[in-house]
Amino acid sequence: MFRLKSIILDHLKHTAGTEARMLPDPDKVLIPMSMHIGTPCEPVVKKGDHVLAGQKIGDSEAKMSVPVHASISGTVTDIKDYRLLNGKTCKAVEISSDGKHKTADCSPPEITDKASFLKAVRESGACGLGGAGFPVHIKLDLKKETDTLIINAAECEPYITSDYRQMVEKPDEVLGGIRLVMKYTGIAGTVIAIETNKPDVIEDFEKLTADIPEINVLKLPSVYPQGAEKVLVYSCTGRIVGEGEIPADQKVIVMNVSTVAFLYRYCCTGIPLISRRITVEGTAVKNPLNIFAPVGTMVKELLEFTGTDINDVRKLVAGGPMMGSCLMTADTPVVKTSNSFIADREYTEPVTTSCIRCGRCVRACSMNLMPLMIEKAFINRNTSELKRLRAGLCMNCGACTYVCPANRRLAETNQLAKELIR
């Protein structure tokens, strides 16, 4: 195997040693009907209804969709349009808490075969918790021969430790989820892929899987973007997911470690996806923490829970510093795919200068792309050149922008280029 290009980042995982804390139910939550890839749900409740935590409040008949559930008990006080981070609009259900946190009648689903397992996975509201939000019941409904399940436990972005804390605090949930997926999909082998900057969990999982030959722990170099799907498949199997392909085309599926852990919890309790373990970090955060928060909680409440003065925050990012999205306001709700919020006290807009053709962006790209040439072709709207340059392979890892001494927005341009040729 040849070695993919990568960059070295400071880990800055200051919350790694801190057990996640539970956020008290907020007075109000706002739950978007689109927190997954695919068709948004439509609300199945109306203003004035009283709902219980875990009760379904949104659903769709579309296959590429997952239901949405109330994260607290209370009264539906509004149903309104909500603009997502990607600029699209969906409905959102506002629930005012009754302060009682009454849960719906949740019981473990009856699972006897693959069909009932996939039905249960859909009803759980599960989507990929690594950030993509792909409906899990679609991913697990294998249409091609698949021999390997890769558990993405790399967590290669700086600051974020929510997956790490899952492995430290509840490793049994991870193994339980893996066994469920293997049992009902028929996948013969699993690789738990962990970066070497987490030696304690590597040691723990090697012990836990010592007598399970079909589950192996793989130590990965701590480089960026090790956790990107295409990179991970290559690192674990040596197989190349080509342009236009998905891992299933290489007989592999990839699941985030928190996703499989959630599946196990759901199959044990019947409580759907209504909360997340979230890292709250950054220079403006007084007490960086991992927090269990109900879906729909406003980010400002997470910041206040850490003792942060909202007035000190100059930059707020949902996700990691490399691939995350800047938020316009802390009045933004936690969604199913939230794993981190980074609040910084200072922000200076980078000054962009002319490309000096140093080639650093090329040397940093794991996909062997030429971001500077893609930028030029995009500016000229040259779609044939963009296709020749394989712009569609860009994973939006942000490494090219990170290393660019001219502060050019290469990663951003790459995404616009992908849209142009899509």
Side-chain angles (χ1 to χ4, degrees):
M1 286 173 59
F2 58 88
R3 185 170 181 175
L4 297 179
K5 290 182 285 188
S6 57
I7 60 175
I8 305 294
L9 300 175
D10 290 335
H11 300 145
L12 304 173
K13 294 184 182 291
H14 308 124
T15 58
T18 307
E19 188 172 355
R21 293 175 56 186
M22 190 72 68
L23 183 78
D25 271 3
D27 293 334
K28 189 178 290 186
V29 294
L30 182 67
I31 304 178
M33 293 291 102
S34 179
M35 296 183 279
H36 52 267
I37 289 177
T39 306
C41 293
E42 288 295 326
V44 296
V45 292
K46 61 183 183 302
K47 188 175 178 179
D49 285 354
H50 187 268
V51 297
L52 303 174
Q55 178 180 332
K56 189 183 293 185
I57 59 172
D59 207 346
S60 168
E61 294 184 355
K63 185 175 182 181
M64 186 66 91
S65 186
V66 293
V68 177
H69 304 80
S71 58
I72 61 174
S73 61
T75 303
V76 176
T77 47
D78 203 359
I79 296 176
K80 55 188 176 184
D81 291 335
Y82 174 73
R83 187 174 295 281
L84 302 162
L85 285 179
N86 62 10
K88 296 180 180 177
T89 302
C90 70
K91 294 292 183 185
V93 175
E94 181 185 86
I95 303 171
S96 294
S97 174
D98 59 10
K100 300 175 180 176
H101 195 79
K102 291 185 176 179
T103 56
D105 184 18
C106 299
S107 57
E110 183 177 351
I111 299 174
T112 56
D113 54 15
K114 180 181 176 182
S116 57
F117 176 63
L118 294 180
K119 181 181 178 183
V121 172
R122 186 191 184 281
E123 286 303 302
S124 75
C127 59
L129 302 185
F134 193 87
V136 178
H137 68 285
I138 300 292
K139 176 174 284 191
L140 297 182
D141 188 11
L142 306 178
K143 303 299 184 186
K144 298 181 178 179
E145 179 187 352
T146 304
D147 57 24
T148 305
L149 167 65
I150 296 175
I151 300 301
N152 188 350
E155 203 164 47
C156 59
E157 282 236 32
Y159 293 111
I160 307 175
T161 61
S162 53
D163 285 346
Y164 170 79
R165 291 307 309 179
Q166 168 68 59
M167 292 185 284
V168 170
E169 296 170 18
K170 297 286 184 181
D172 56 315
E173 293 180 345
V174 177
L175 288 180
I178 291 171
R179 287 192 174 101
L180 282 172
V181 172
M182 293 178 70
K183 178 179 180 180
Y184 291 110
T185 62
I187 298 175
T190 292
V191 177
I192 304 175
I194 309 173
E195 283 193 340
T196 51
N197 64 347
K198 307 170 188 67
D200 52 340
V201 292
I202 289 175
E203 183 178 349
D204 289 346
F205 274 84
E206 283 180 337
K207 291 178 180 175
L208 290 168
T209 60
D211 298 324
I212 314 174
E214 61 271 24
I215 302 178
N216 295 296
V217 177
L218 181 64
K219 302 175 189 176
L220 297 176
S222 184
V223 295
Y224 186 84
Q226 189 64 266
E229 196 170 66
K230 285 183 169 65
V231 175
L232 198 64
V233 170
Y234 181 75
S235 297
C236 294
T237 67
R239 301 171 193 172
I240 297 173
V241 180
E243 186 174 7
E245 288 189 330
I246 59 176
D249 294 317
Q250 297 299 325
K251 301 182 179 182
V252 173
I253 63 169
V254 180
M255 296 185 71
N256 173 266
V257 67
S258 291
T259 307
V260 289
F262 163 72
L263 288 185
Y264 181 73
R265 286 199 302 277
Y266 175 73
C267 290
C268 292
T269 66
I271 298 175
L273 184 52
I274 59 174
S275 66
R276 282 302 318 266
R277 180 190 280 103
I278 299 167
T279 304
V280 182
E281 255 274 25
T283 55
V285 177
K286 186 174 181 180
N287 299 302
L289 287 172
N290 275 288
I291 303 172
F292 281 111
V295 169
T297 303
M298 293 298 165
V299 176
K300 68 179 181 183
E301 299 198 41
L302 302 186
L303 295 173
E304 289 169 355
F305 190 69
T306 63
T308 303
D309 184 347
I310 301 293
N311 295 319
D312 282 347
V313 178
R314 293 290 177 269
K315 182 181 180 183
L316 183 57
V317 175
M322 298 298 289
M323 295 186 69
S325 300
C326 286
L327 299 181
M328 295 291 290
T329 170
D331 287 317
T332 299
V334 168
V335 295
K336 292 179 180 179
T337 54
S338 298
N339 63 356
S340 173
F341 294 100
I342 300 171
D344 283 334
R345 185 178 289 113
E346 297 179 356
Y347 175 69
T348 303
E349 183 71 20
V351 177
T352 300
T353 57
S354 298
C355 173
I356 59 174
R357 305 184 72 79
C358 64
R360 294 184 190 179
C361 58
V362 178
R363 294 194 294 275
C365 181
S366 299
M367 295 292 102
N368 283 323
L369 301 180
M370 302 179 70
L372 74 167
M373 299 302 292
I374 292 174
E375 181 190 46
K376 181 179 179 180
F378 174 75
I379 291 171
N380 293 325
R381 297 297 190 270
N382 188 339
T383 55
S384 60
E385 180 68 357
L386 287 173
K387 292 177 181 176
R388 190 189 70 80
L389 292 168
R390 302 178 302 145
L393 269 175
C394 176
M395 306 177 296
N396 195 28
C397 70
C400 52
T401 296
Y402 180 79
V403 300
C404 179
N407 294 317
R408 303 197 68 77
R409 297 180 174 178
L410 299 170
E412 181 181 313
T413 303
N414 288 349
Q415 298 315 298
L416 294 171
K418 287 174 68 175
E419 285 296 320
L420 189 62
I421 60 176
R422 187 164 290 169

